Amino acid sequence: MDTPLFLFQPLLWSVGFAIGTIMLKRAIESGLGPLRIAFLNNMLVAVLFLPGLLSVPKTLTWSMLEWPLICSLIYALGQLCFFLAMRLGDVTVLAPAMGIKVVFVALFTAVMVGAVAMPWTMWMAALLATLAVFLLSISQWHDRKRLAQTAFLAVMSAGLYGLNDVMLQIHGSVLGAIPFSAVMFSAVAVESLVMIPFFRGSFRSVPPVAMRWGLAGAVICGAQSGGMAYTIAQHGAATAVNIVYSTRGLWSVILVWAASSWFGVREGSVGNAVMGRRLVGGLLLLCAVGLVLASK
């Protein structure tokens, strides 16, 4: 069976996720807090989809707005968990742990789309993904509490993002892919205003180097977030899209391992043994992804 061409889109988004997340991690290490990064990211995505508001029907009903607004809240909560995890832990733990999202997507699809009983391969995938996240969270025994918290927040974020993707697949046709995404991310930007009182200082107090990395990372992460939302709203197939997208964990480990000095992130110095264990965790998650694919 030929691979649908649209599946090359999440492959591109997965690479963008890896690059953008490492840049944002560098921004955090340089003095830009996670809430301000989330705020930047949300505003940039809203600007990206601003032209899409022109395609929104002029006669809107609540049934048209209901699902984009619900998705915006779920997305915002998932993003909050993601950036809190980024502040606590390393990209090479966070990104592979986010790979469990595809298992959540498969489970939510089975429940919400009305699929029949889950095959054994799906349950095995969930077990492998759980073991992989555990391996990622204990990769440094002297700081296992922080890493366990990172993995927990990553799993929470993956679950919320997975729920959001399935709801995009089910309800994206209410307005159409572009109008739905435009309304959703505009709402996320408005919701982000509640973060402002919790900023640790203004943007003017941020060191220039942190601001440069933060803006660059926010642009890339924002573009890939919007791209994923558009791909799922346009084509559906949330499970297949997330199977391809889950390769972001491997790209993140490889990029940090090979180019940490260029990015300037500290986690590249954790040692080959730790990075190797994280790579094994990422590979276990890919095995879980393969089982999900085999169950389709």
Side-chain angles (χ1 to χ4, degrees):
M1 182 175 64
D2 295 334
T3 302
L5 290 178
F6 74 85
L7 289 180
F8 287 99
Q9 295 177 22
L11 183 62
L12 176 62
W13 310 144
S14 71
V15 175
F17 174 91
I19 296 173
T21 301
I22 294 172
M23 288 180 169
L24 293 180
K25 181 64 175 179
R26 171 64 191 277
I28 288 176
E29 292 179 351
S30 301
L32 184 58
L35 287 182
R36 284 176 289 186
I37 286 179
F39 182 85
L40 276 177
N41 182 84
N42 293 341
M43 294 301 162
L44 287 169
V45 179
V47 170
L48 176 68
F49 277 97
L50 196 59
L53 291 176
L54 298 175
S55 62
V56 174
K58 293 182 179 179
T59 55
L60 285 174
T61 63
W62 171 246
S63 61
M64 293 179 179
L65 290 174
E66 178 182 7
W67 291 110
L69 294 178
I70 291 173
C71 285
S72 73
L73 288 170
I74 296 171
Y75 176 89
L77 288 173
Q79 188 195 56
L80 179 61
C81 290
F82 175 78
F83 283 111
L84 288 175
M86 185 184 293
R87 183 180 67 178
L88 282 171
D90 294 340
V91 172
T92 47
V93 172
L94 173 60
M98 290 290 292
I100 201 173
K101 175 186 171 188
V102 70
V103 179
F104 281 116
V105 170
L107 291 170
F108 287 135
T109 299
V111 173
M112 299 172 68
V113 180
V116 295
M118 296 285 289
W120 69 269
T121 49
M122 197 69 72
W123 295 113
M124 184 61 69
L127 176 62
L128 277 179
T130 302
L131 289 174
V133 172
F134 176 73
L135 180 61
L136 289 165
S137 69
I138 64 169
S139 56
Q140 280 182 296
W141 285 103
H142 69 276
D143 205 2
R144 59 185 181 274
K145 180 179 178 181
R146 179 176 62 88
L147 292 175
Q149 290 172 338
T150 301
F152 173 77
L153 285 168
V155 170
M156 288 290 294
S157 177
L160 289 164
Y161 279 149
L163 177 60
N164 183 65
D165 283 359
V166 175
M167 293 181 71
L168 277 169
Q169 175 179 315
I170 297 171
H171 302 290
S173 60
V174 171
L175 285 174
I178 292 179
F180 190 102
S181 300
V183 172
M184 171 183 156
F185 285 111
S186 296
V188 170
V190 173
E191 292 157 7
S192 299
L193 296 176
V194 303
M195 298 180 183
I196 294 176
F198 301 98
F199 288 170
R200 294 182 178 178
S202 67
F203 279 102
R204 286 177 292 183
S205 66
V206 176
V209 63
M211 200 65 193
R212 286 195 297 270
W213 283 107
L215 284 172
V219 168
I220 295 174
C221 278
Q224 66 87 30
S225 293
M228 274 292 288
Y230 171 80
T231 298
I232 293 171
Q234 178 70 24
H235 300 285
T239 301
V241 168
N242 275 280
I243 285 170
V244 179
Y245 187 57
S246 66
T247 56
R248 57 187 170 167
L250 278 181
W251 305 139
S252 299
V253 173
I254 291 170
L255 276 173
V256 169
W257 207 340
S260 60
S261 59
W262 187 86
F263 285 105
V265 292
R266 291 193 292 266
E267 65 184 275
S269 62
V270 298
N272 289 339
V274 170
M275 294 295 285
R277 285 193 290 272
R278 293 179 182 178
L279 186 61
V280 170
L283 290 171
L284 278 177
L285 280 171
L286 280 187
C287 289
V289 167
L291 285 172
V292 171
L293 181 60
S295 68
K296 305 309 287 180

